[in-house]
């Protein structure tokens, strides 16, 4: 199935933002840092990127960690900056700061299930309190001219399915779109995303809906958009170690043509580049350990990766990381081998869930 639209044309509008891709990077704490967004951009100039979640209040109070998450490079555009929080005044001020620092869109998180975030009344905690969200949405809307979106789950649990109600409130308060992850808070990342519930929200709204949950391949993107009617899709776990997914999925959605998977050599070279960007930004002491999970994602599903993982886990310098990557590449006879796409996104290790 193809849309008849050629790559390079506007395919979806979120408020004043005209986008040339139907596929967006879902915000992911611990994943969507500057180096990752830079690598995604290398392979795709059109998709809307997202920052990691930024706690608005902590950012305004001077948190270095939040400031680092909120850094936007000019070549990342179009990029969404995602805020968490619950106090309308802080949220409005943080949204204005995000706009001033170059965000093309400000998104508000109503879906993060991490306990310390929920216990502070942020993220998915707001799914339990639809009566409270209007003033937050209005404060953000008033504070910025760039598009404003709300990212939510379909409910708290199966007895408290508030996603629809909150999506309607967002629309009434002037949000330009909602992102809907088809799980409840209680589901976390388990089970499968309920795209019927995503569809129900899409059918009820006038503003665009970005559907999200379990898109791992270009074929998934086409099928889930077709069944739900959403305006665009967002990919999270399927993008870990897989920056090619954005161009491949969008191209497939627009033209019906499946672009080839990267070769093993391209995977390894891209892993190497992302580690280099990380080390450039953080230095070797922090950048090398931070690189390990990314290398593991890049080689997920590839053959004989155990020695590579072991060597990467021992590495202390960029040179040692590169030796490990070179050794892996030399040991693989078939450079055209592709990872099994079914393995993307299947691993969600709780220790990656360090939301703040
Ligand atoms: C490691 C990790 C970190 C995440 N961090 C965020 C976040 O900061 N903000 C947010 O709205 N959602 C976050 N999410 C949820 C994703 O944006 C997305 O909604 C969810 O993973 C479902 O999409 P997927 O099946 O394509 O992964 C995170 C998910 C993962 C796996």
């Amino acid at each position: 199935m193809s849309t008849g639209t050629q790559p390079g044309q506007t395919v979806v509008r979120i408020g004043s933002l005209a986008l040339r891709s139907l596929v967006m990077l879902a915000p992911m704490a611990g994943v969507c840092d500057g180096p990752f967004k830079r690598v995604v951009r290398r392979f795709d100039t059109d998709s809307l990127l997202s920052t990691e979640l930024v706690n608005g209040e902590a950012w305004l109070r001077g948190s270095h960690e939040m400031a680092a998450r909120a850094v936007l490079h000019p070549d990342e555009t179009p990029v969404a900056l995602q805020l968490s929080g619950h106090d309308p005044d802080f949220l409005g001020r943080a949204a204005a700061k995000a706009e001033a620092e170059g965000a093309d869109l400000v998104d508000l998180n109503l879906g993060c299930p991490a306990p310390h975030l929920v216990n502070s009344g942020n993220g998915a905690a707001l799914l339990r309190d639809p009566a409270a969200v209007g003033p937050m949405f209005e404060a953000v809307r008033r504070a910025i001219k760039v598009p404003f979106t709300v990212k939510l789950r379909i409910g708290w649990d199966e007895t408290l399915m508030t996603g629809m109600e909150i999506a309607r409130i967002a629309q009434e308060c002037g949000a330009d779109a909602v992102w809907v992850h088809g799980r409840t808070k209680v589901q976390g990342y388990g089970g499968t995303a309920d795209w019927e519930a995503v569809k129900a929200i899409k059918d009820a709204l006038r503003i665009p809906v970005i559907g999200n949950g379990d898109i791992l391949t270009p074929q998934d993107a086409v099928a889930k958009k077709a069944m739900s009617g959403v305006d665009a899709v967002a990919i999270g776990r399927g993008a870990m170690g897989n920056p090619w997914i954005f161009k491949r999925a969008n191209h497939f959605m627009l033209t019906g043509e499946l672009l080839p998977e990267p070769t093993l050599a391209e995977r390894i070279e891209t892993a190497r580049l992302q580690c280099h960007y990380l080390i450039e930004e953080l230095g070797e002491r922090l950048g090398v350990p931070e690189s390990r999970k990314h290398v593991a994602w890049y080689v997920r599903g590839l053959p004989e990766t155990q020695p590579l993982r072991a060597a990467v886990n021992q590495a202390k310098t960029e040179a040692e990381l590169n030796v490990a990557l070179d050794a892996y590449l030399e040991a693989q006879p078939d450079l055209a081998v592709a990872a099994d796409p079914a393995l993307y996104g299947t691993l969600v290790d709780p220790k990656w869930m360090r939301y703040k």
Side-chain angles (χ1 to χ4, degrees), residues 7-322:
Q9 294 178 320
T10 296
V11 287
V12 61
R13 287 179 195 277
I14 309 288
S16 56
L17 196 59
L19 294 168
R20 295 186 302 259
S21 175
L22 295 170
V23 187
M24 304 174 181
L25 169 62
M28 285 183 290
V31 183
C32 301
D33 52 18
F36 180 64
K37 283 181 277 156
R38 249 170 110 184
V39 169
V40 171
R41 261 297 166 262
R42 198 179 166 88
F43 297 105
D44 179 71
T45 51
D46 296 336
S47 52
L48 178 71
L49 304 183
S50 297
T51 62
E52 306 174 77
L53 172 162
V54 175
N55 180 311
E57 183 171 339
W59 188 28
L60 291 169
R61 292 190 190 282
S63 154
H64 293 301
E65 184 179 358
M66 295 305 145
R69 289 182 179 196
V71 170
L72 300 173
H73 294 285
D75 55 1
E76 287 177 11
T77 196
V79 60
L81 190 148
Q82 188 186 57
L83 295 173
S84 69
H86 61 270
D87 179 273
D89 178 51
F90 275 117
L91 283 174
R93 287 195 283 136
K97 185 172 162 86
E99 179 175 43
E101 300 207 356
D104 297 298
L105 181 156
V106 175
D107 176 57
L108 187 54
N109 180 300
L110 271 77
C112 177
H116 62 276
L117 207 113
V118 170
N119 293 340
S120 330
N122 299 336
L126 297 168
L127 296 168
R128 280 186 304 204
D129 198 4
V133 299
M136 298 171 213
F137 297 167
E138 283 164 0
V140 174
R141 180 65 292 170
R142 264 197 313 273
I144 55 173
K145 292 199 175 56
V146 292
F148 158 50
T149 61
V150 173
K151 181 165 179 286
L152 42 81
R153 289 180 177 240
I154 54 178
W156 174 264
D157 64 15
E158 58 188 21
T159 68
L160 199 59
M161 295 292 279
T162 46
M164 171 75 83
E165 182 182 356
I166 292 175
R168 284 202 167 105
I169 297 170
Q171 176 172 274
E172 292 317 308
C173 294
D176 294 294
V178 292
W179 313 53
V180 183
H181 174 195
R183 286 186 174 83
T184 62
K185 182 272 173 196
V186 167
Q187 272 182 288
Y189 294 90
T192 50
D194 178 354
W195 278 81
E196 291 293 343
V198 176
K199 177 179 180 349
I201 294 178
K202 164 62 198 168
D203 289 345
L205 295 194
R206 296 183 306 276
I207 56 175
V209 171
I210 303 161
N212 171 232
D214 302 345
I215 295 179
L216 305 176
T217 64
Q219 293 89 333
D220 290 342
V222 164
K224 288 184 160 57
K225 181 173 185 300
M227 74 67 61
S228 64
V230 292
D231 301 271
V233 297
I235 300 183
R237 291 165 293 175
M240 293 167 162
N242 187 17
W244 302 276
I245 187 70
F246 297 95
K247 182 161 189 173
R248 295 186 71 242
N250 186 51
H251 191 85
F252 189 56
M253 291 168 98
L254 295 184
T255 67
E257 181 196 7
L258 202 51
L259 298 174
E261 286 268 13
T263 62
L264 186 144
E266 283 169 320
R267 284 179 198 282
I268 297 300
E269 290 315 318
T270 306
R272 193 196 303 277
L273 182 71
Q274 197 175 326
C275 295
H276 176 70
Y277 287 159
L278 266 169
I279 292 162
E280 209 174 50
E281 191 168 302
L282 300 176
E284 279 187 328
R285 193 176 62 81
L286 298 176
V288 171
E290 189 63 20
S291 296
R292 291 176 186 145
K293 66 185 179 195
H294 291 284
V295 173
W297 290 330
Y298 274 100
V299 300
R300 199 163 34 177
L302 295 178
E304 318 273 337
T305 56
Q306 192 44 42
L308 169 64
R309 287 163 193 260
V312 165
N313 285 340
Q314 307 256 310
K316 299 220 166 9
T317 64
E318 183 170 8
E320 286 167 14
L321 271 181
N322 283 332

